[in-house]
C-alpha cells in the first residue's frame, strides 16, 4: 500500500519467517528458543548451504527470515533435525521434503565466509515491551523518537571504527506483541510505568557487524556472531537491518564477547 518513492529502497526478494521451537520434534506451541541456542542446529547449517538469513529478535521470541526462493534448500537442510510446519488458514500443517522438491538443487560446498569487522559503541540499551492497550499513551512520543528526534547521523563517517555511541531504535509489532529496543537515555523520555522489561532490568551492549552495508546475498553473517556466543553460552538479542546486523548482549558480558570475536578474527588470518 506504500506509494512508490525515490526515497524508499526495496530489496528484490520476498522473505518467509521461520519460528524455531525448543524441541524440533515437538508440535507447534512449544517454548521458542533463542538465537545462540539455534546457532548450531539452524543458522550454521543454512549458511553452509548458501542460504542467506535475516535475524529478528523480539521481546517474546526470535525469528529467522529466509528468501522464498531458498525454501526448498531450507526444508531439505533442516528436515533431518526438525519437524517442519507451515501455516495454512491459521492451522499448522506438516511439511515434507516432497512438498518443495521441485527445483531443489544440491548446493555446492560453501566458500569460507567473509569475517566482517565489528564495532562496539559505549551506548547502553534497554529491551522492552509495551502492553498494546497502553500504546496510545506513548504514541506521540514514539512517533517523535522514531521519525524526528533521532535522524541518522549523516555527518558521521561511514564505516567509522571508533564510534562512542550509535543511534539505534527498534520497534516491532508482531501478532499483537510489541518489542522495543532503545538506548537508556531515550528510555528516560517515556513513562516508566508503561515500559515493561525483565525483572532484572538488565542493560545491554551492542556489537554492530559490517563496516559498510552488507546486502542480502552473503551467507554466514549471523553465524559469525551467533556461533562463538553459543559456544560460550552467552545469550544475545539479534536484529538484522537493511544495512547492518546488530547483536545485543548483557552489559556484563561485553568484554568477553569482544575478546571472543577478536580471537575469531585473528584465527582466520
Amino acid at each position: 500500500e506504500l506509494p512508490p518513492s525515490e526515497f524508499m529502497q526495496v530489496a528484490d526478494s520476498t522473505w518467509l519467517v521461520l519460528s524455531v521451537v525448543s524441541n524440533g520434534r515437538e508440535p507447534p506451541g512449544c517454548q521458542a528458543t533463542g538465537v545462540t541456542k539455534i546457532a548450531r542446529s539452524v543458522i550454521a547449517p543454512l549458511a553452509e548451504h548458501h542460504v542467506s538469513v535475516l535475524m529478528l529478535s523480539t521481546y517474546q521470541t526470535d525469528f529467522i527470515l529466509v528468501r522464498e526462493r531458498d525454501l526448498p534448500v531450507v526444508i531439505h537442510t533442516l528436515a533431518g533435525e526438525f519437524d517442519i510446519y507451515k501455516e495454512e488458514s491459521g492451522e499448522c500443517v506438516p511439511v515434507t521434503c516432497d512438498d518443495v522438491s521441485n527445483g531443489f538443487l544440491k548446493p555446492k560446498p560453501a566458500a569460507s565466509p567473509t569475517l566482517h569487522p565489528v564495532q562496539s559503541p559505549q551506548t547502553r540499551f534497554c529491551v522492552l515491551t509495551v502492553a498494546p492497550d497502553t500504546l496510545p499513551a506513548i504514541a506521540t512520543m514514539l512517533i517523535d523518537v522514531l521519525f524526528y528526534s533521532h535522524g541518522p547521523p549523516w555527518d558521521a563517517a561511514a564505516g567509522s571504527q571508533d564510534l562512542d555511541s550509535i543511534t539505534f531504535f527498534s520497534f516491532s509489532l508482531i501478532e499483537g506483541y510489541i518489542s522495543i529496543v532503545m538506548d537508556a537515555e531515550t528510555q528516560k523520555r517515556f513513562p516508566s510505568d508503561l515500559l515493561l522489561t525483565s525483572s532484572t532490568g538488565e542493560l545491554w551492549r551492542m556489537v554492530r557487524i559490517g563496516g559498510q552495508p552488507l546486502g542480502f546475498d552473503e551467507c554466514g553473517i549471523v553465524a559469525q556472531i551467533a556461533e562463538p556466543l553459543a559456544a560460550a553460552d552467552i545469550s544475545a538479542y539479534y536484529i538484522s537491518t537493511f544495512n547492518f546486523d546488530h547483536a545485543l548482549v548483557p552489559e556484563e558480558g561485553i568484554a568477553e564477547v569482544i575478546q571472543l570475536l577478536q580471537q575469531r578474527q585473528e584465527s582466520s588470518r
Side-chain angles (χ1 to χ4, degrees), residues 94-258:
V95 175
T96 67
C97 290
D98 294 337
D99 294 337
V100 292
S101 60
N102 182 33
F104 174 74
L105 297 175
K106 187 174 181 179
K108 300 177 182 178
S112 299
T114 302
L115 287 183
H116 292 277
V118 295
Q119 303 164 344
S120 181
Q122 296 299 312
T123 311
R124 304 158 83 210
F125 292 93
C126 311
V127 177
L128 309 154
T129 187
V130 177
D133 58 348
T134 65
L135 189 60
I138 64 170
T140 301
M141 189 173 300
L142 190 61
I143 291 171
D144 181 55
V145 171
L146 275 169
F147 301 111
Y148 300 104
S149 296
H150 290 296
W154 300 113
D155 55 338
S160 171
Q161 300 295 310
D162 300 311
L163 293 179
D164 290 328
S165 63
I166 185 172
T167 301
F168 188 93
F169 190 98
S170 172
F171 175 91
S172 62
L173 174 61
I174 300 175
E175 295 187 331
Y177 293 103
I178 298 168
S179 299
I180 302 175
V181 177
M182 69 176 78
D183 63 85
E185 288 302 311
T186 300
Q187 183 192 14
K188 296 176 182 178
R189 299 178 53 184
F190 289 83
S192 59
D193 58 329
L194 298 183
L195 300 180
L196 308 177
T197 187
S198 66
S199 58
T200 58
E202 62 187 343
L203 293 174
W204 299 69
R205 290 279 301 278
M206 174 184 287
V207 288
R208 186 173 78 169
I209 301 93
Q212 57 186 1
L214 298 170
F216 303 109
D217 294 322
E218 187 179 336
C219 305
I221 297 172
V222 177
Q224 172 185 341
I225 304 298
E227 286 189 282
L229 297 189
D233 198 27
I234 297 174
S235 60
Y237 191 101
Y238 200 102
I239 300 177
S240 298
T241 67
F242 197 92
N243 290 322
F244 298 98
D245 279 22
H246 307 81
L248 288 93
V249 298
E251 185 176 30
E252 65 272 13
I254 187 63
E256 182 180 0
V257 169
I258 293 174

Side-chain angles (χ1 to χ4, degrees), residues 27-44:
C30 295
Q31 181 180 3
T33 190
V35 175
T36 50
K37 291 184 179 180
I38 59 177
R40 293 191 182 92
S41 58
V42 180
I43 297 172

